Every structure is written in structure tokens, then in C-alpha cells.
């Protein structure tokens, strides 16, 4: 599995495009959160091995976010002499686990290019229209603003777009300025577990392909924080939930809705060149996807070809 990981909805990607010093892009809070995320299984020993001959500033940053006992293990591992293959293998494991976070932080423009054509089933926004019209919305984990922009078609009062990746937030801010949306969308830096919003300050929370059951991507603490900022009887709506999280959401009291897919849903890239670039980078292991694009000669790729659940479902909870 080295160098390969599953994305938020199951696609297989390669970590090769990044190098270990790229971890410097994360701020300390995010670096700490990623290291503590049990699902990534990134141990202080592994980081110690990976830091051999890496940028000294990175080793210092990592040491600074570890606990005292973790720092001792990390320093010991860093000081030990190990074969070069071990260093390479440790780096691969880390870069593979953090592929999507590195994409959000280091190459947000590529994430934007990937998701620009990844349209959410329009029936979802039609269904949730009553919870958007004239309402104050929080778009949590807004990324480059896919859900925020979609919400605008449904006449919200205001949208707080909160995102922790500064790169994606920057793209969103540029978009808001360029399209004259400053009065509607208010971008803010923040974490699911520590939202920069007052208690009961929004009517509806929307999280599109962002909030999961994992503690570092929300989890129980994140849900509690969503409830804190939502007014009584407001709604929390999780669009395109991770398939593995459905039971978790049901247990937390959510209702699951899946819209029928009458016509196969596809990602529509801007150009054939973009489709080739994106499939090569984000679906490299899926040889069928590349063959499909080259054979069809079109910038449209069905989700089924990519091996990804189409964005046709959501979970909702009334607070
Ligand atoms: C797959 S992207 C989706 C972005 C956007 N909602 C969309 O539909 O394109 C997941 C987003 O969630 C953000 N995210 C993940 N965990 C987060 C957390 N704990 N706090 C805030 N944002 C988080 C990531 O930075 C990333 O922008």
C-alpha cells in the first residue's frame, strides 16, 4: 500500500507529487491535529525516521507540537542511524497518509480544478432550499466555496464560509472579490472543533464532503460545536457523507437521504487537457479512468469509472 491512499470518497491516489519538506506548509494547530489523528497512524518513531536529512526547521516544528514523551521517542528515532530505504519508506507512508491535506494546503489550485466540475446533485439543494432561503448559513470546511456558491442560488441571508486550509481560503477570498460576493459570503479561518462564531448564531450548518466521524475531521467534538453555533430548531446538513460514516451519523440521530440517479453522474472538467491532468494526478492507479478519458476524447468522466460514490446523498439533523 506504500504511496497509495483512499480519498474522502474512495478514489485511489498517489502521494508521489509531494516531498517531506512540504509538511512545512501546515500551521502548528493543523500539524498537531494530523499527527494526533489515529487513523493516519503516524507515530513519533516514523516522523523521526522521515526527518533524516530533512529541513531542520521541519524537525523543530514537529518536535514543538509533540508531547514531552513523544518528543523523546522522536529525537531518539531521529538520532539513530538507519538505512536510506527506511527513510524513503517512512516519508512515503507519511506523504501517502497526508495526500489530501497536502493537496488542500500546498496545491489548492489543483483541488479547485478537480472540484470545479464535480457537481453536487441539484436535487440536494432543491430539497434543502427551505433551510437556505433567508437563512444564516455556516458552510463548514468550505474549501474553495463549492457549497457556498451553490447556496447563493437559494437566496440565503448570509453565509459564513469557514475553512482551515489557508490556501483554499485564499482561493475562496479571491473568488468572492472577483465575483462581487463580499456582502453574501464571509470567509473565515477556523476549525470544526473551534468555530469563530457565537452560540446560536446560524440557522443552518452545511458541510459538503468535509465533516466526517474522525476526530480530526469533526467527530463528536465537531458535531457538538456545530450544535453550539446552530440556533434551536436549526439544521445540520452533511452533504456527500463518507460511506463508512453512515452508521455513525444514524447513531448521532441524523436522517439519511439519497436522491435517485436517473442519468449517470459525471465530473465535467473544463477541457480534455484538464481531465487528463486531473485523472493522472488524483486517479493515477485507476488505469480504466485514464483509458476512458483517452478513448472518449471528452472532458467528462462518470463517477462510476472513477470508482467514486456520486454526490447524490446527504444526512440531516434538526437541533
Ligand atoms: C474534500 S474538501 C471539501 C471542500 C468543500 N466543502 C467542497 O465541497 O469542495 C474537505 C475540506 O474540509 C476541510 N477540513 C477538514 N477537516 C477540517 C477541520 N477539522 N476543520 C476545518 N476544516 C476542515 C479541509 O481543509 C477541506 O477544505
Amino acid at each position: 500500500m506504500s504511496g497509495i491512499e483512499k480519498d474522502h470518497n474512495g478514489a485511489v491516489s498517489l502521494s508521489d507529487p509531494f516531498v517531506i519538506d512540504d509538511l512545512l506548509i501546515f500551521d502548528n494547530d493543523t500539524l498537531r491535529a494530523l499527527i494526533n489523528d489515529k487513523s493516519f497512524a503516524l507515530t513519533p518513531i516514523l516522523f523521526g525516521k522521515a526527518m533524516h536529512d530533512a529541513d531542520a526547521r521541519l524537525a523543530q516544528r514537529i518536535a514543538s507540537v509533540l508531547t514531552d514523551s513523544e518528543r523523546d521517542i522522536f529525537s531518539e528515532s531521529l538520532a539513530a542511524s538507519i538505512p536510506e530505504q527506511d527513510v524513503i519508506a517512512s516519508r512515503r507512508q507519511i506523504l501517502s497518509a497526508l495526500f489530501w491535506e497536502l493537496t488542500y494546503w500546498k496545491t489548492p489550485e489543483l483541488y479547485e480544478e478537480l472540484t470545479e466540475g464535480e457537481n453536487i446533485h441539484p436535487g440536494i439543494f432543491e430539497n434543502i432550499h427551505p433551510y437556505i432561503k433567508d437563512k444564516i448559513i455556516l458552510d463548514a470546511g468550505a474549501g474553495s466555496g463549492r457549497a457556498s456558491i451553490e447556496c447563493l442560488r437559494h437566496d440565503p441571508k448570509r453565509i459564513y464560509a469557514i475553512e482551515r486550509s489557508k490556501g483554499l481560503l485564499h482561493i475562496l477570498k479571491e473568488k468572492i472579490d472577483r465575483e462581487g460576493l463580499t456582502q453574501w459570503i464571509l470567509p473565515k479561518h477556523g476549525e470544526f472543533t473551534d468555530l469563530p462564531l457565537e452560540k446560536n448564531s446560524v440557522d443552518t450548518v452545511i458541510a459538503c464532503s468535509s465533516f466526517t466521524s474522525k476526530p480530526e475531521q469533526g467527530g463528536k467534538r465537531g458535531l457538538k460545536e456545530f450544535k453550539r453555533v446552530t440556533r434551536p430548531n436549526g439544521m445540520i446538513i452533511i452533504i456527500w457523507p463518507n460511506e463508512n460514516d453512515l452508521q455513525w451519523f444514524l447513531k448521532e440521530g441524523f436522517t439519511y437521504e439519497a436522491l435517485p440517479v436517473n442519468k449517470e453522474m459525471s465530473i465535467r472538467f473544463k477541457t480534455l487537457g484538464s481531465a487528463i491532468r486531473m485523472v493522472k494526478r488524483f486517479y493515477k492507479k485507476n488505469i480504466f479512468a485514464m483509458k476512458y478519458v483517452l478513448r472518449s476524447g471528452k472532458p467528462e468522466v462518470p463517477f462510476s469509472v472513477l470508482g467514486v460514490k456520486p454526490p447524490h446523498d446527504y444526512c440531516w439533523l434538526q437541533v
Side-chain angles (χ1 to χ4, degrees):
M1 276 298 279
S2 177
I4 303 170
E5 73 143 17
K6 292 252 180 188
D7 85 346
H8 53 286
N9 273 300
V12 176
S13 315
L14 278 196
S15 58
D16 293 344
F18 298 110
V19 295
I20 202 72
D21 292 344
D22 287 339
L23 299 189
L24 278 167
I25 192 79
F26 297 122
D27 61 26
N28 276 4
D29 286 343
T30 304
L31 197 55
R32 188 177 299 111
L34 297 175
I35 293 174
N36 286 337
D37 187 334
K38 299 270 180 296
S39 63
F40 290 144
L42 302 176
T43 61
I45 295 185
L46 190 70
F47 273 105
K49 287 181 182 174
M51 285 309 112
H52 282 79
D53 294 326
D55 189 321
R57 286 172 306 157
L58 180 59
Q60 271 168 15
R61 290 267 316 280
I62 290 173
S64 75
V65 300
L66 296 174
T67 62
D68 289 347
S69 57
E70 286 170 340
R71 197 174 308 117
D72 289 346
I73 299 170
F74 169 74
S75 304
E76 219 172 279
S77 168
L78 179 57
S81 127
I82 55 166
E84 200 186 338
Q85 309 87 282
D86 282 8
V87 179
I88 294 170
S90 316
R91 289 182 179 189
R92 278 239 169 93
Q93 195 177 330
I94 293 168
L95 294 174
S96 168
L98 301 182
F99 175 84
W100 282 99
E101 291 299 332
L102 280 163
T103 296
Y104 304 147
W105 284 74
K106 186 81 189 174
T107 59
E109 69 292 346
L110 293 181
Y111 178 75
E112 166 72 353
E113 188 175 346
L114 174 72
T115 52
E116 251 175 332
E118 226 183 49
N119 294 326
I120 304 299
H121 193 305
I124 294 184
F125 281 88
E126 281 162 25
N127 277 11
I128 66 174
H129 170 87
Y131 310 108
I132 303 176
K133 190 172 165 49
D134 298 327
K135 300 282 192 281
I136 299 176
I137 311 291
L138 159 62
D139 179 5
S144 50
R146 170 169 43 183
S148 292
I149 305 274
E150 198 55 48
C151 279
L152 282 185
R153 297 183 219 280
H154 295 265
D155 301 322
K157 198 184 267 181
R158 192 180 324 134
I159 302 165
Y160 295 110
I162 296 184
E163 169 55 48
R164 81 171 169 196
S165 148
K166 290 180 181 148
L168 283 171
L169 200 58
H170 180 69
I171 291 186
L172 175 58
K173 282 180 178 162
E174 282 185 335
K175 214 184 265 184
I176 291 170
D177 287 343
R178 200 171 52 239
E179 295 175 23
L181 305 175
T182 45
Q183 113 186 62
W184 307 110
I185 307 180
L186 288 87
K188 282 172 185 268
H189 181 249
E191 276 283 328
F192 291 151
T193 48
D194 187 14
L195 295 167
L197 292 174
E198 297 290 312
K199 187 177 173 199
N200 299 346
S201 58
V202 306
D203 299 296
T204 305
V205 176
I206 292 179
C208 178
S209 178
S210 56
F211 181 96
T212 78
S213 65
K214 288 199 218 165
E216 306 315 323
Q217 292 171 351
K220 276 189 181 288
R221 267 184 66 209
L223 183 55
K224 194 167 168 212
E225 183 68 350
F226 282 6
K227 289 180 182 169
R228 180 187 71 80
V229 301
T230 310
R231 64 154 172 82
N233 297 321
M235 293 290 267
I236 298 175
I237 300 170
I238 310 292
I239 295 177
W240 204 10
N242 194 318
E243 276 172 298
N244 302 325
D245 281 341
L246 286 187
Q247 287 311 317
W248 187 89
F249 281 116
L250 294 177
K251 242 175 154 173
E252 292 294 335
F254 281 81
T255 301
Y256 176 69
E257 312 267 3
L259 281 98
V261 179
N262 301 324
K263 185 174 173 283
E264 181 153 50
M265 291 179 74
S266 299
I267 303 190
R268 291 187 176 78
F269 297 102
K270 273 215 168 107
T271 60
L272 177 60
S274 173
I276 293 172
R277 259 197 326 278
M278 292 298 104
V279 168
K280 198 166 167 196
R281 184 166 181 112
F282 293 104
Y283 299 95
K284 198 167 180 173
K285 276 281 145 176
N286 184 341
I287 48 166
F288 300 110
M290 187 50 88
K291 276 190 181 159
Y292 180 93
V293 176
L294 295 175
R295 204 176 326 114
S296 76
K298 292 189 185 142
E300 243 181 73
V301 194
F303 282 97
S304 59
V305 170
L306 297 170
V308 175
K309 176 186 75 159
H312 73 125
D313 55 352
Y314 63 102
C315 294
W316 61 268
L317 175 76
Q318 186 156 35
V319 175

